[in-house]
Amino acid sequence: MHAYCLDRFGLPLPPGHRFPVSKSGRLREQVALQCADVQLSEAPAATDGELALAHTPAYVEAVAQGELPAAAQRAIGLPWSPAMVERSRRSVGATICAARAALAHGVAVQLAGGTHHAHADRGAGYCVFNDTAVAARLMQAEVHRARRSLLRVLVIDLDVHQGDGTATIFVDDPTVFTLSLHGARNFPVHKARSDLDVELPDGCGDADYLQALDAALDTVWARLAATPPGLAFYLAGADPHEGDRLGRLKLTFEGLAARDRRVFDDLRARCIPVAVSMAGGYGADLDATVAVHLRTVVEAARSAVMWRDEGVAREAGLGSMEQSAA
């Protein structure tokens, strides 16, 4: 399985900043140590043209030149620097690479990403550019060019925070279905409208969460029966974990692993390739957050092996994307 990383590109933050910038590097180290079948690659930077598939050119330019108004920069929550811009571009680039590899092989991962609070014309909540939205639109363009066919996309957002930026970018786009399962009382205060929103109460544990997820996925499959997606993006946030400082939910390690298996098994059963991003995770114990993400990578790799062994990718006609994934 292919996995893409960007942790070599640092993010200078003031002392005490709560964004866990070291998380992706620690995760890469653990993947390298424990996941022999995962091929790690460094992500390229997304270009202005690629970013403009989901963002206004004026916003892309303002970010690149450090010309965002102070209030807009505060909403993002990260101080501007050339390194911030480069890392943000690399985050999008990693999801683009993971999406191409997923179309070729069934499953691929990027070890950061999930920047779902970025809107077309602004960022928020540590999200500068929306990696999922850019990658989805680029894959639609590439598939149309290669096959002259429409690629329908499914976004399964299981970060504890609603994917408001992704929802607003795709609100009028019938080719992209957005599912967000999130804490009702968590950030953002003012929620956007996804195609399917499932709000969870504070303190929600494994059993109730998995029941809500099963019901949500059943609804998705019913609503998309006539127009099945050809690619999914899975935002596998670690922040529903009971040890997360910002999550407010109470999922255990095993509950989150069961969540991941449900998503991967459902997608594989329907021959839907998936690009996975890690999304949020702000544990008081960062090692616990990394352990949640590592388990997601392990579950993704397990599913990738099953894609290969079952010949699902060949049966779905995905081999034509091999060259662009290389």
Side-chain angles (χ1 to χ4, degrees), residues 257-293:
R259 172 200 71 173
D260 294 339
R261 285 193 296 272
R262 277 167 162 76
V263 172
F264 292 130
D265 289 350
D266 268 22
L267 291 170
R268 192 179 65 256
R270 291 163 177 79
C271 300
I272 302 170
V274 58
V276 189
S277 57
M278 297 298 103
Y282 309 92
D285 178 1
L286 189 55
D287 288 338
T289 299
V290 171
V292 173
H293 286 316

